[in-house]
Amino acid sequence: PENGKSVLLTLHSDVACSTSALTSSLVADTNPGTTSGGYFQFSGVQAVTGGVYFLKVSSIGLEPTCYGSLKVAQKLKLEQSATAQVGVPLASQPIVKVSLPDDSVIEIAGVPVEYKVYTDALCKNVASSSQWSMTSQNTVLTNASGVAEFSGVVIHDVGTFYVKATT
């Protein structure tokens, strides 16, 4: 095993990793890294924008390797009733989808999603338990289709409310 060899990790948009590296979309604690005992373990690796990517590992004098595809979520897409009747469960209960920038859903299970109702448009002031409730847990995990389904959401007060889903 070689010591002191530089290893570079880059992000690409094509399966062959032949396009220019998307340098502003990849963050790592140390990149490039230097091998010790023939190995280097990257840490803190993050894709900072959503999309479908391919990860390339390269080092001078060695054949580069391209891995992927890696699907990185850009947003949560919330679907539910736009209006509510006081004291009655929403006609269309909230579902949240883990989505790419093109709105396609990433099929990933186990992503924790929270759903809350707010009294202000900036979603800073959570509505009180006397103003809304739900029967499902506040944190719901996505199913294998990348969807979190909430149930029993009821608005108990007259007014304008705002909702927000977070992970």
Side-chain angles (χ1 to χ4, degrees):
E2 252 185 274
N3 288 323
K5 196 142 183 87
S6 179
V7 181
L8 179 65
L9 192 63
T10 52
L11 202 60
H12 298 266
S13 60
D14 67 308
V15 70
C17 294
S18 59
T19 57
S20 295
L22 305 168
T23 55
S24 64
S25 296
L26 180 71
V27 174
D29 290 343
T30 304
N31 193 23
T34 305
T35 60
S36 174
Y39 298 95
F40 179 78
Q41 181 169 340
F42 289 94
S43 63
V45 177
Q46 297 177 31
V48 295
T49 55
V52 178
Y53 300 108
F54 300 86
L55 200 57
K56 181 179 179 181
V57 180
S58 58
S59 183
I60 295 173
L62 298 173
E63 186 72 29
T65 302
C66 189
Y67 299 95
S69 64
L70 306 170
K71 295 180 180 179
V72 179
Q74 175 72 26
K75 58 186 172 181
L76 296 176
K77 185 176 179 182
L78 173 64
E79 298 174 4
Q80 69 175 21
S81 297
T83 58
Q85 185 177 349
V86 173
V88 177
L90 297 178
S92 177
Q93 291 292 306
I95 62 169
V96 177
K97 299 176 180 178
V98 179
S99 303
L100 291 169
D102 67 1
D103 284 335
S104 62
V105 178
I106 298 177
E107 295 179 352
I108 182 170
V111 176
V113 179
E114 285 189 4
Y115 175 90
K116 291 185 182 174
V117 176
Y118 296 84
T119 57
D120 66 306
L122 297 176
C123 295
K124 299 288 183 194
N125 301 306
V126 178
S128 70
S129 59
S130 66
Q131 294 174 303
W132 79 286
S133 63
M134 78 177 149
T135 57
S136 63
Q137 295 292 322
N138 193 345
T139 301
V140 173
L141 300 178
T142 57
N143 59 26
S145 298
V147 177
E149 300 180 54
F150 295 86
S151 60
V153 175
V154 178
I155 302 297
H156 300 290
D157 204 357
V158 175
T160 300
F161 295 95
Y162 304 86
V163 297
K164 182 177 176 182
T166 57
T167 150

